[in-house]
Amino acid sequence: MKNVKSSFSLLVFLLTVSCVVNLSQAQIRVAVASNFAKTAQELSHAFSEQGNVEPILLIGSTGKHAAQIARGLPVDLFMAADQQRPQYIESIGLAVDNSRITYAIGRLAFWVPGGSKKPNSTLSVLLSQHKKIALANPKLAPYGLASEQSIEYVMAQGEATTKREPERLMGENIGQTFQFLNTGNVEAGFIAFSQVEGIPDDQLVLVPSNHHEPIEQQMLILRESQDVRGFYEFVLSELGKTIIRNNGYETR
């Protein structure tokens, strides 16, 4: 009987220790825009290397994330690809006061995989050369909206060699759009400049920033804790900004 009691006491002790350890290793859940996935992974890894808990990243379109957060998605930090969705989340009272801030400014590129573009080709020339192009859904993804605005800008300026607008193949987010192009399902399209690593320069055109509204990416805290605040501040630190810039973004 004594041995049974001792075993039971040991089990209770081990379970208690386990609970304490789990509580001390708190999780940070971060909803991240798909265009920022690779950069967020690098930031998370660098943050954990400093002795912090590594954040759990939920990758997806900013529009879907915002809708899910409004319905109660349990995340601690929202790293969006625009300003509008964070402003909306803030307006409905789901954000920590004064935590909304710009963490990156994105750029848009036009990619023609599998074949070199002509020297000095402009976006207008490339759009006129392709009947179908890929872009992220403008209703869900800020990079998709910037892509649509860029097409409209070119057509409105009369820069295109033809007034025929290309057919759109829309991905749910910029990550899916990249896959459309990378797998050869479509011959040309818009991607985030942060995705161009490894792509030959002669297959790319950097879309002029005046062709679309600024892609100002903002984040905000949804659930305050020491760990969440720590990661938030790390993203805004000089090391965090260096990682972000090295991935093709601009910072303030």
Side-chain angles (χ1 to χ4, degrees):
M1 185 68 176
K2 184 177 180 180
N3 288 337
V4 173
K5 288 183 177 179
S6 298
S7 297
F8 179 75
S9 298
L10 178 60
L11 177 60
V12 171
F13 172 76
L14 291 174
L15 288 172
T16 302
V17 170
S18 177
C19 289
V20 170
V21 170
N22 286 335
L23 286 173
S24 66
Q25 296 176 342
Q27 293 182 339
I28 305 173
R29 291 169 56 86
V30 185
V32 181
S34 58
N35 74 283
F36 203 71
K38 176 178 175 291
T39 312
Q41 288 166 357
E42 291 185 24
L43 288 166
S44 298
H45 184 64
F47 182 66
S48 67
E49 284 188 330
Q50 295 185 352
N52 303 297
V53 60
E54 186 160 355
I56 297 172
L57 306 178
L58 284 70
I59 310 299
S61 72
T62 288
K64 281 202 167 183
H65 273 154
Q68 291 168 344
I69 290 170
R71 292 196 298 266
L73 180 68
V75 293
D76 305 299
L77 187 69
F78 181 25
M79 301 183 75
D82 65 4
Q83 304 174 68
Q84 288 73 27
R85 269 65 170 222
Q87 287 172 348
Y88 165 67
I89 295 302
E90 186 180 56
S91 72
I92 60 176
L94 295 180
V96 171
D97 290 345
N98 302 315
S99 66
R100 180 168 60 84
I101 193 169
T102 298
Y103 66 91
I105 300 171
R107 293 298 305 273
L108 192 65
F110 192 81
W111 181 23
V112 185
S116 298
K117 66 179 179 61
K118 295 179 180 179
N120 302 318
S121 288
T122 62
L123 178 61
S124 60
V125 171
L126 294 176
L127 285 176
S128 67
Q129 291 175 343
H130 299 92
K131 295 180 179 180
K132 179 184 290 187
I133 61 169
L135 70 159
N137 189 331
K139 294 181 179 179
L140 295 175
Y143 280 80
L145 178 60
S147 302
E148 190 65 48
Q149 289 173 343
S150 297
I151 295 171
E152 292 173 357
Y153 178 92
V154 169
M155 303 306 292
Q157 295 297 314
E159 295 180 3
T161 57
T162 175
K163 282 296 182 181
R164 175 190 55 78
E165 289 200 15
E167 180 184 347
R168 277 82 151 164
L169 177 63
M170 295 187 184
E172 183 176 291
N173 53 56
I174 200 69
Q176 188 177 68
T177 304
F178 182 89
Q179 290 305 314
F180 287 162
L181 292 159
N182 197 40
T183 55
N185 288 327
V186 64
E187 60 185 13
F190 293 93
I191 60 173
F193 185 61
S194 59
Q195 297 172 309
V196 306
E197 183 177 358
I199 298 176
D201 289 344
D202 62 0
Q203 295 181 9
L204 293 164
V205 166
L206 184 62
V207 178
S209 57
N210 68 337
H211 282 29
H212 57 79
E213 295 176 1
I215 307 173
E216 192 164 336
Q217 304 195 190
Q218 292 193 338
M219 65 177 174
L220 41 67
I221 297 174
L222 305 175
R223 299 183 182 188
E224 182 76 91
S225 74
Q226 183 175 346
D227 290 323
V228 174
R229 179 64 67 169
F231 182 62
Y232 172 91
E233 292 179 351
F234 177 77
V235 172
L236 300 174
S237 70
E238 284 308 311
L239 176 55
K241 288 180 179 179
T242 297
I243 292 172
I244 291 170
R245 287 193 293 265
N246 287 343
N247 276 278
Y249 297 91
E250 298 174 0
T251 63
R252 288 181 172 174

